[in-house]
Amino acid sequence: LSATWNESLLRAMAYLVGGVNSTELFIGASVLGFVVFGLGGGWLTLRWIRGRYERKKLSDQSITLDALWLVYGVSQSVPLVFEGAAWVLSGLLAFVVYKLVAWSGFTLLDHEASPAGRIPKLLLLRVFSLGKRSERLFEALAKHWRHVGSTQLIAGPDLATTTVEPHEFLDFLNGKLARRFIDKPQTLDLRLSEMDLEPDQDGRFRVNDFFCHDDTWRMVLSRLADESDAVLMDLRAFSPQNSGAIFEINELINEVPLERVVFAID
């Protein structure tokens, strides 16, 4: 009876998709899966991840690694279904084991992720027109500096995909990202008080983005320069047309001891 039902189901599915090629079928299945996941708790899952991230139970790196291991485990368990339906769950079980091992390791090493004393703050400035070149420099810098101290920067399109955090991404999807923009001194004071200067469980420090309007970024730059322990300014591709960068250079000269400033040039 089971074999007959399965054959009938396969015939019905084949009939329904008989006029659809493999590419269209794959795209359709992907879109359907995305819709079903979104309606079936996907949004609640994203909110749960956001909450744990804000409470420092997760880091951006751990979220990426978890996603990789989960996808890998599930994809590798699919072929095992021919050995029995229960084998499909082996990928999820492997993911649970991975999380337990990671949790145990970080628990044992937790004291190393809590440095004593003042946490150094780095201000990163750059010429926004650098695009991908700016992203490559940030990635190279972050490999070392994010184990040393926190990073502050004025948000821009060049590093949007590199530094975006889960709660900022959800604000973007909700259409509420505008509330994160600094529009007056009081908002700047609030954002400065909310800076995350403590390391995550994996020992890496976070990047603090400051979203600014055209009439507020100078005020933000002045406060950040004054409160930072070191400044790295990427001046590659600099030209007289970069009036914003010229303002930043003058501000650094006036406000920051130059032994705390590094300029990267062509």
Side-chain angles (χ1 to χ4, degrees):
L1 179 63
S2 176
T4 302
W5 183 86
N6 288 339
E7 182 179 355
S8 300
L9 178 61
L10 290 174
R11 288 182 181 276
M13 293 175 62
Y15 175 78
L16 289 173
V17 301
V20 180
N21 61 44
S22 58
T23 302
E24 293 171 338
L25 181 61
F26 174 78
I27 295 175
S30 299
V31 172
L32 178 61
F34 181 81
V35 172
V36 171
F37 177 74
L39 296 177
W43 187 253
L44 294 177
T45 301
L46 289 177
R47 291 179 63 87
W48 177 79
I49 292 174
R50 170 183 180 159
R52 288 184 61 81
Y53 181 83
E54 291 180 335
R55 296 193 301 273
K56 301 186 78 67
K57 300 295 185 180
L58 294 173
S59 68
D60 56 345
Q61 183 171 251
S62 69
I63 292 173
T64 302
L65 292 175
D66 288 352
L68 289 173
W69 277 109
L70 181 59
V71 171
Y72 178 80
V74 171
S75 63
Q76 293 300 310
S77 66
V78 170
L80 299 177
V81 70
F82 299 105
E83 304 296 329
W87 281 97
V88 176
L89 300 176
S90 62
L92 295 176
L93 178 60
F95 178 75
V96 171
V97 172
Y98 148 72
K99 289 298 295 180
L100 289 174
V101 172
W103 176 81
S104 300
F106 283 127
T107 300
L108 292 173
L109 299 175
D110 184 56
H111 64 282
E112 295 187 6
S114 303
R118 176 180 170 84
I119 305 299
K121 293 181 289 186
L122 171 69
L123 172 61
L124 176 62
L125 304 173
R126 72 272 186 208
V127 176
F128 282 166
S129 61
L130 282 169
K132 288 292 183 180
R133 296 173 66 192
S134 182
E135 185 175 316
R136 288 193 294 270
L137 175 68
F138 176 81
E139 290 176 348
L141 171 71
K143 288 179 181 179
H144 171 69
W145 182 265
R146 292 192 64 178
H147 291 276
V148 176
S150 67
T151 305
Q152 280 64 245
L153 56 84
I154 295 176
D158 56 333
L159 296 179
T161 59
T162 305
T163 64
V164 65
E165 298 183 359
H167 60 284
E168 295 170 349
F169 177 68
L170 285 177
D171 283 343
F172 170 75
L173 293 181
N174 280 326
K176 298 179 180 179
L177 189 61
R179 67 184 182 182
R180 305 201 66 84
F181 278 77
I182 297 170
D183 55 0
K184 53 187 177 182
Q186 292 81 358
T187 309
L188 175 56
D189 291 336
L190 176 62
R191 293 289 176 264
L192 289 172
S193 67
E194 293 175 341
M195 281 198 305
D196 193 332
L197 303 178
E198 297 299 320
D200 285 319
Q201 193 178 35
D202 56 13
R204 297 166 76 248
F205 292 84
R206 295 185 177 181
V207 178
N208 295 289
D209 291 313
F210 289 80
F211 295 87
C212 306
H213 296 292
D214 286 341
D215 58 348
T216 59
W217 72 267
R218 292 176 176 81
M219 170 185 65
V220 175
L221 179 279
S222 298
R223 289 287 299 277
L224 291 178
D226 182 58
E227 297 188 12
S228 297
D229 299 290
V231 181
L232 172 61
M233 186 170 189
D234 189 354
L235 282 176
R236 293 173 298 166
F238 172 76
S239 72
Q241 283 68 47
N242 298 118
S243 58
I246 293 174
F247 173 85
E248 291 174 339
I249 294 172
N250 286 325
E251 197 69 18
L252 293 179
I253 292 174
N254 293 330
E255 300 292 337
V256 183
L258 291 184
E259 63 267 20
R260 290 162 39 196
V261 180
V262 172
F263 292 108
I265 62 174
D266 295 293

